[in-house]
């Protein structure tokens, strides 16, 4: 495989960055591939796109196969741009390498190797053995990895990518003193949260939020802000609910909680050993964890979500206690704050329950990635670390 930085692309292949950009764009607009990676593919010949494809959901055709189908016979001697190395193994569908080889494609250009041990370079080898020229556009690698940040993290570190979402007032409060927090932000921000849920493998919440708010934490198609292009790419979106996860040391979740009774699978992580034989509902699994300061060990939860349930990305929607604990343990990769232009007052609940900091050196830092106005509110996206 030849690595090609953009600066080494000759005039004959000057359109390569445009095609790879399009393949990555297709992959990044797909929310429903989990636990598979998001993959986009463009097939081009003489500078023109003759086929495009994306992998919409597990069990459905892979991006390369969809694009090859569209290109038909014209795929012969064409170039395929794929955001991730084509697979070489048989899963729920056949290996994409074989389809590319059979199509008579001349060149395959990838943005990143697949970290899945069942692929990891063997896709490239198989295609090269069959005489296909394979190129790696190294300048696109970071973009391709960030589209699949969760998939790469699960494969490389055994942990999901962790996104923490919180809605707060201008004065940094997340609920009134009595715990009421519903509708701090407006409808546009809430529609955006629905998108976060739709793209998450799992949504995690704390027992107090379950007891106080009794949320569903489901994706509701009616509330989801989604463009026509996204609707086309995410064919199975509406039917797919993320796994819902409750962190509940003492197993206080009532069997009547709405989160248990709104369809879809629920996992409850607990320290309580007495749950054996206790059935909350058919769709609910209770999992015993190790303890950390007499509470559920959050590292264990994330490892279990990655290894037992193949979660690539998880979204935390909890109150200040659990959100603070995730931040304190350094397990959060991305923080998304919706800031409502309202004052809730100093009796209100804080953003995060973190205490005991003695000096500024102990403060955790974040870097600002994006700031946008969303309806009447502000959305601030931050990454852990400075
Ligand atoms: N503004 C927002 O974005 C937003 C979002 C969600 C909720 N809320 C509001 O937040 C309030 C509830 O917040 P909360 O902080 O009381 O509850 P929470 O964060 O939802 O849940 C906290 C509970 O999780 C359990 N837990 C288990 N393991 C833990 C660990 N390792 N670290 C920390 N907690 C662990 C603890 O109870 P056990 O020890 O019994 O397990 C703890 O009391 C509600 O008023 C709700 O409306 C606001």
């Amino acid at each position: 495989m030849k690595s090609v930085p953009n600066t080494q692309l000759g005039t004959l292949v000057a359109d390569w960055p445009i095609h790879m950009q399009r393949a990555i764009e297709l992959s990044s607009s797909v929310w429903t591939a989990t636990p598979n990676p998001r993959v986009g593919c463009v097939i081009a010949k003489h500078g023109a796109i003759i086929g495009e494809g994306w992998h919409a959901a597990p069990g459905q055709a892979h991006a390369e196969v969809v694009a090859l189908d569209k290109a038909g016979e014209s795929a012969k001697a064409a170039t395929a741009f794929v955001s991730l190395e084509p697979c070489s193994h048989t899963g729920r569908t056949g290996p994409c390498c074989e389809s590319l080889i059979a199509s008579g494609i001349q060149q395959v250009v990838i943005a990143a190797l697949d970290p899945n041990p069942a692929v990891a370079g063997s896709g490239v080898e198989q295609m090269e053995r069959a005489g296909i020229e394979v190129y790696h556009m190294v300048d696109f690698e970071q973009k391709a990895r960030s589209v699949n940040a969760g998939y790469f993290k699960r494969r490389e570190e055994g942990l999901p990518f962790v996104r923490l979402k919180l809605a707060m007032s201008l004065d940094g409060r997340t609920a009134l003193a009595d715990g009421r927090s519903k509708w701090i932000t407006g409808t546009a921000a809430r529609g955006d949260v629905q998108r976060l849920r739709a793209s998450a493998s799992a949504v995690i919440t704390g027992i107090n939020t379950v007891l106080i708010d009794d949320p569903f934490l489901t994706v509701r198609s009616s509330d989801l802000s989604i463009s026509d292009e996204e609707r086309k790419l995410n064919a199975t979106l509406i039917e797919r609910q993320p796994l819902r996860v409750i962190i509940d040391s003492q197993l206080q979740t009532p069997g009547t909680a709405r989160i248990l009774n709104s369809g879809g699978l629920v996992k409850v992580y607990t320290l309580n050993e007495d749950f054996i034989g206790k059935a909350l509902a058919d769709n609910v699994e209770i999992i015993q964890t190790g303890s950390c300061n007499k509470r559920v060990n959050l590292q264990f939860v994330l490892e279990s979500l990655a290894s037992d349930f193949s979660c690539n990305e998880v979204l935390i929607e909890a109150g200040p206690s659990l959100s603070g604990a995730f931040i304190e343990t350094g397990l959060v990769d991305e923080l998304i704050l919706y800031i409502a232009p309202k004052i809730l007052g100093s009796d209100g609940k804080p953003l995060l329950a973190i205490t005991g900091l003695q000096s500024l050196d102990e403060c955790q830092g974040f870097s600002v990635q994006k700031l946008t106005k969303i309806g009447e509110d502000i959305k601030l996206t931050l990454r852990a670390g400075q």
Side-chain angles (χ1 to χ4, degrees), residues 352-374:
L352 300 164
I354 296 179
T355 55
L357 294 184
Q358 299 297 325
S359 79
L360 283 176
D361 295 340
E362 295 173 39
C363 300
Q364 270 195 53
F366 290 84
S367 64
V368 175
Q369 302 292 304
K370 215 171 166 191
L371 182 68
T372 42
K373 184 164 183 274
I374 178 155

Side-chain angles (χ1 to χ4, degrees), residues 167 174 179 181 206-209 213 247 249 252 295-296 318-322 325:
T174 50
S181 73
I207 179 60
N208 287 357
T209 297
D213 289 357
I247 309 294
S249 309
Q252 298 179 75
R295 281 184 155 169
V296 166
S321 310
L322 189 59

Side-chain angles (χ1 to χ4, degrees), residues 198-219:
S199 62
S201 312
V203 177
I204 302 177
T205 194
I207 179 60
N208 287 357
T209 297
V210 171
L211 295 175
I212 297 170
D213 289 357
D214 198 12
F216 290 100
L217 297 180
T218 43
V219 177

Side-chain angles (χ1 to χ4, degrees), residues 15 19 44-50 76-79:
D15 54 346
H19 296 319
K45 201 171 181 177
H46 310 308
I49 293 182
I50 57 170
K76 209 159 269 170
T79 304

Side-chain angles (χ1 to χ4, degrees), residues 47-381:
I49 293 182
I50 57 170
E52 278 189 348
W54 58 90
H55 175 51
Q60 295 200 9
H62 285 191
E64 299 89 322
V65 173
V66 177
L68 284 172
D69 266 2
K70 291 201 182 130
E73 283 297 306
S74 317
K76 209 159 269 170
T79 304
F81 296 84
V82 199
S83 60
L84 190 71
E85 177 185 8
C87 68
S88 51
H89 63 298
T90 304
R92 272 176 272 201
T93 59
C96 293
C97 286
E98 285 180 10
S99 307
L100 287 161
I101 293 165
S103 72
I105 281 270
Q106 188 179 340
Q107 297 169 318
V108 171
V109 187
I110 63 169
L113 285 171
D114 188 340
N116 178 357
V119 188
S122 65
V124 170
E125 271 172 35
Q126 204 170 311
M127 292 187 293
E128 285 186 329
R129 268 203 309 274
I132 294 181
E133 300 155 31
V134 184
Y135 297 90
H136 177 199
M137 291 190 81
V138 283
D139 292 333
F140 282 89
E141 171 140 11
Q142 213 186 339
K143 253 188 198 168
R145 283 179 70 96
S146 74
V147 166
N148 277 308
Y151 178 75
F152 276 91
K153 194 171 170 204
R154 172 165 73 85
R155 292 286 183 196
E156 293 174 348
E157 299 173 39
L159 287 169
F161 182 87
V162 180
R163 185 171 281 128
L164 168 61
K165 162 259 143 186
L166 282 160
M168 69 175 201
S169 62
L170 265 188
D171 50 347
R173 301 288 148 176
T174 50
L176 292 169
D178 64 6
R180 274 177 298 146
S181 73
K182 258 199 168 163
W183 316 146
I184 292 181
T185 49
T187 44
R190 297 203 298 274
D192 199 60
V193 171
Q194 286 282 319
R195 293 166 64 98
L196 296 182
R197 273 185 207 165
S199 62
S201 312
V203 177
I204 302 177
T205 194
I207 179 60
N208 287 357
T209 297
V210 171
L211 295 175
I212 297 170
D213 289 357
D214 198 12
F216 290 100
L217 297 180
T218 43
V219 177
R220 292 181 294 274
S221 57
S222 53
D223 297 344
L224 189 65
S225 57
I226 179 167
S227 67
D228 290 345
E229 170 82 346
E230 284 169 328
R231 198 171 287 285
K232 187 176 85 185
L233 293 167
N234 295 280
T236 61
L237 181 69
I238 308 308
E239 296 91 69
R240 179 188 161 270
Q241 289 298 341
L243 199 68
R244 262 84 42 79
V245 176
I246 307 171
I247 309 294
D248 178 5
S249 309
Q250 305 312 321
L251 202 55
Q252 298 179 75
T253 304
T256 51
R258 292 202 283 216
I259 190 170
L260 307 182
N261 299 296
S262 46
L265 299 176
V266 180
K267 309 288 170 192
V268 184
Y269 286 89
T270 187
L271 293 180
N272 191 325
E273 293 173 11
D274 302 331
F275 71 85
I276 304 201
K278 184 168 178 174
L280 284 171
D282 286 348
N283 57 328
V284 182
E285 185 184 0
I286 305 170
I287 300 165
Q288 197 188 355
T289 74
S291 103
C292 182
N293 298 326
K294 299 198 177 139
R295 281 184 155 169
V296 166
N297 181 328
L298 302 178
Q299 172 89 18
F300 175 101
V301 172
L302 294 180
E303 284 171 2
S304 158
L305 289 174
S307 64
D308 304 332
F309 307 113
S310 302
C311 290
N312 293 334
E313 292 174 20
V314 299
L315 176 68
I316 301 168
E317 292 196 57
S321 310
L322 189 59
S323 302
F326 268 106
I327 290 273
E328 266 187 314
T329 40
L331 292 169
V332 173
D333 296 295
E334 188 175 86
L335 176 58
I336 296 189
L337 288 180
Y338 294 93
I339 306 166
K342 294 175 186 161
I343 306 285
L344 287 191
S346 53
D347 294 334
K349 297 215 177 204
L351 182 66
L352 300 164
I354 296 179
T355 55
L357 294 184
Q358 299 297 325
S359 79
L360 283 176
D361 295 340
E362 295 173 39
C363 300
Q364 270 195 53
F366 290 84
S367 64
V368 175
Q369 302 292 304
K370 215 171 166 191
L371 182 68
T372 42
K373 184 164 183 274
I374 178 155
E376 293 309 308
D377 305 309
I378 289 168
K379 178 183 180 184
L380 180 58
T381 306

